[in-house]
Amino acid sequence: MTTPASLRAERISTALGGLTVLDDVSLNVGPSEIHALVGLNGAGKTTLMRILLGMLTPDLGTAHLTGVRVCAAGERVWSRVGQMLETPFAYPELTARENVYSSARLHGMGRDAAGAAAARALTALSLDHYASRRAGTLSLGNRQRVGLAAALVHGPDVLVLDEPTNALDPRGVVDLRRILQEASRERGAAILVSSHHLDEVARMADRISVLHRGRILGTLQPGSVDLERRFFDLVLQSDLQEQEQ
Amino acid sequence: MSASPQALEFEALKFRRAPVVRTVSVLIGVGLPVLAAAFMVAATSDGSSQIGLKAAAMLTSTGWTGYFAMVGMLLSVGALMGIGFVVCWCFGREFTEKTQACLYALPVSRRRLAYAKFTVILLWSLVLCLVTVALALLAGGIIGLGMPGPEDLVVAGKAWCAGALAALLACPLAVVASVARGYLPGVGGLVLLVVITQVVTAFGTGAWFPYAAPGLWMGMGGPAAAETVSPLQLLLCVPVSVLGIAVTGQWWKNMEISAG
């Protein structure tokens, strides 16, 4: 039996180059949940995601995927994970189709299944017209779509996406929102998404955590009308407290 | 040290499509035979031009034997430079182009991906050296060397071996490209290796230095020096290569992304 999809960060602290980047951060994303992580530049969003994906070992604390510690995660765990951090999976010398197909193969899919899944993922992200074009010749937005298709092609139920709507046009944002909501509803996926844009994540997330200077300041309800004000209240309050100390 | 089929398929696809690989393939596969044939013509021409005299000094013997020895000398240096560049690019590009994050959170380990890169590079290198020698054979016929005898083909085989050894010796450059996170530091390492090889050879201890041994074996230090290179000295290339591959694999297994 497969364990339910989940992502968990437990009291994670880490410093890079002598600077504290994450300070006692805990986060839990359960099955069928889209959890957004918002914060200003340099808040620590990407670092937290790197730790959750095993790209970085924290100084303190632990990260878990589907109940398994990331440092002990094996083939079975990783085959359930889709991610897009830093640069999208879009090698410039490969076509859009080859990139997405390669991602499916690396996630353990057979050749036929990978080919069919790649075609579906390209269609879902409106990339049919660009399937045979080299990723290096695509626009930034379409390369982002290729990266998203590569992250989603194998039907993962744990997803970590760092600023996935960057460079996407309005249609891309709508496509992505639909795909993530379907994954959450139909596959019970646990999804962690980071963004700078509150209005954007408010439309897709079930919960929003505010990360500022390496600390989780609180959570926001996506349905709130004055989301932006609440966000800045939390951030300014934290800055004031820090100045007083 | 094994690579999974998926990793091999992925790395082979990237490799096949890479313009860098195509350029190096043409430079080595076509450029070296043409260069060897041109040197041979210059060396055997009646004139006493500077280039003719220098090319003649490179010949260890006459006819096909001398010609294939020259091909071997060019391969021992050219393959190290060309294949070394490809090794640096294959590993370093993941950092330079910031695609290394795509290699995390996969059921295929990064160590296996690294081994897949080595497997693809080494297979390509062996075929490339074979094509180079075959084209050199063709070029030799065109410049009028006639038909090669069995003993000439043995020297052609040695030339291929010199290329294959150079390919093995290029593998440790992946360590530099990986640790320094980019292909340019790897290329810097390659240049440094060539300089060190020159110095070690000038001190007369080249046969024991794996990066100098294949060239000396092909006659770069003259026929007498070629005779002194033992199979053991040539085989030292293998542990150097295996060590480079193992260190790279281990580094890829443990590497983390903390910056950027």
Side-chain angles (χ1 to χ4, degrees):
Chain A
M1 205 178 107
T2 317
T3 50
S6 67
L7 278 154
R8 197 168 84 239
E10 240 175 44
R11 308 203 66 184
I12 285 180
S13 295
T14 204
L16 296 172
L19 195 77
T20 302
V21 182
L22 293 173
D23 183 11
D24 203 19
V25 171
S26 294
L27 185 86
N28 205 348
V29 186
S32 300
E33 183 187 352
I34 303 179
H35 194 123
L37 202 55
V38 293
L40 306 175
N41 286 330
K45 304 186 291 291
T46 305
T47 303
L48 179 59
M49 289 183 154
R50 282 175 181 162
I51 289 169
L52 283 165
L53 291 168
M55 297 178 185
L56 185 64
T57 309
D59 297 337
L60 289 170
T62 53
H64 301 257
L65 292 171
T66 66
V68 179
R69 276 182 78 155
V70 168
C71 57
E75 210 170 298
R76 282 180 66 182
V77 171
W78 293 124
S79 62
R80 294 175 64 180
V81 178
Q83 57 101 355
M84 192 179 72
L85 247 77
E86 330 271 331
T87 309
F89 192 112
Y91 285 87
E93 68 272 28
L94 304 185
T95 65
R97 184 184 291 112
E98 286 168 342
N99 270 298
V100 180
Y101 171 84
S102 296
S103 174
R105 290 283 291 141
L106 287 174
H107 279 96
M109 296 180 87
R111 284 199 174 92
D112 292 343
R120 277 198 304 275
L122 289 166
T123 304
L125 281 146
S126 312
L127 279 167
D128 286 322
H129 290 307
Y130 305 98
S132 302
R133 279 187 47 187
R134 300 241 161 131
T137 66
L138 297 177
S139 67
L140 201 61
N142 280 333
R143 279 209 297 277
Q144 185 82 349
R145 283 169 195 257
V146 172
L148 287 168
L152 297 160
V153 65
H154 56 294
D157 62 358
V158 175
L159 266 164
V160 180
L161 305 171
D162 191 14
E163 298 178 20
T165 54
N166 265 3
L168 287 186
D169 58 18
R171 186 180 175 184
V173 175
V174 172
D175 282 345
L176 178 67
R177 194 190 309 148
R178 178 180 45 77
I179 292 167
L180 295 187
Q181 284 170 343
E182 274 174 17
S184 159
R185 207 173 40 237
E186 291 166 15
R187 293 202 298 271
I191 303 170
L192 182 64
V193 179
S194 79
S195 182
H196 298 298
H197 308 293
L198 272 169
D199 51 341
E200 200 176 87
V201 293
R203 290 188 190 175
M204 67 169 89
D206 301 307
R207 205 151 44 117
I208 302 172
S209 288
V210 178
L211 188 67
H212 184 61
R213 297 191 180 185
R215 286 186 297 127
I216 299 270
L217 300 183
T219 55
L220 300 172
Q221 282 308 310
S224 312
V225 280
D226 50 355
L227 208 56
E228 212 162 76
R229 189 182 58 79
R230 283 166 188 248
F231 170 78
F232 281 109
D233 280 352
L234 282 172
V235 168
L236 290 172
Q237 206 177 338
S238 159
D239 283 349
L240 279 173
Q241 277 174 358
E242 209 161 286
Q243 277 172 14
E244 281 168 13
Q245 282 168 6
Chain B
M1 282 190 197
S2 66
S4 76
Q6 289 95 335
L8 268 176
E9 189 184 307
F10 175 53
E11 290 303 332
L13 181 64
K14 286 195 288 177
F15 196 82
R16 273 204 321 270
R17 295 270 192 274
V20 170
V21 175
R22 290 178 189 177
T23 307
V24 172
S25 299
V26 172
L27 285 175
I28 294 178
V30 180
L32 287 191
V34 169
L35 195 64
F39 276 170
M40 193 68 187
V41 170
T44 52
S45 63
D46 290 336
S48 55
S49 63
Q50 281 287 317
I51 194 160
L53 292 170
K54 283 189 177 161
M58 279 177 76
L59 282 180
T60 51
S61 66
T62 56
W64 278 106
T65 310
Y67 172 68
F68 276 131
M70 191 187 293
V71 170
M73 283 180 231
L74 291 175
L75 252 182
S76 66
V77 180
L80 179 65
M81 300 291 285
I83 296 166
F85 187 80
V86 168
V87 168
C88 295
W89 182 80
C90 279
F91 284 86
R93 63 91 53 113
E94 304 286 0
F95 306 97
T96 311
E97 296 174 16
K98 296 188 183 296
T99 47
Q100 83 268 36
C102 305
L103 309 176
Y104 283 81
L106 292 172
V108 177
S109 72
R110 286 182 303 286
R111 178 152 53 182
R112 280 174 181 254
L113 284 165
Y115 291 156
K117 281 180 190 286
F118 281 121
T119 307
V120 171
I121 292 169
L122 287 174
L123 286 175
W124 162 78
S125 303
L126 297 182
V127 173
L128 180 63
C129 292
L130 198 64
V131 169
T132 307
V133 173
L135 286 182
L137 187 71
L138 186 72
I142 291 170
I143 61 170
L145 292 177
M147 283 295 287
E151 67 280 5
D152 301 322
L153 293 178
V154 170
V155 186
K158 279 177 70 177
W160 179 80
C161 284
L165 291 172
L168 286 174
L169 290 168
C171 292
L173 289 164
V175 178
V176 185
S178 301
V179 173
R181 294 178 183 253
Y183 53 83
L184 282 180
V187 173
L190 176 61
V191 173
L192 186 67
L193 260 180
V194 172
V195 172
I196 292 171
T197 304
Q198 292 291 321
V199 173
V200 171
T201 308
F203 278 110
T205 50
W208 283 107
F209 187 58
Y211 286 89
L216 285 174
W217 182 50
M218 290 314 302
M220 216 167 243
E227 292 295 316
T228 63
V229 180
S230 68
L232 175 70
Q233 288 166 328
L234 288 172
L235 282 174
L236 280 179
C237 298
V238 178
V240 168
S241 181
V242 170
L243 186 67
I245 292 170
V247 171
T248 307
Q250 190 61 23
W251 197 88
W252 270 57
K253 177 178 175 264
N254 296 325
M255 75 176 176
E256 295 198 334
I257 306 177
S258 56

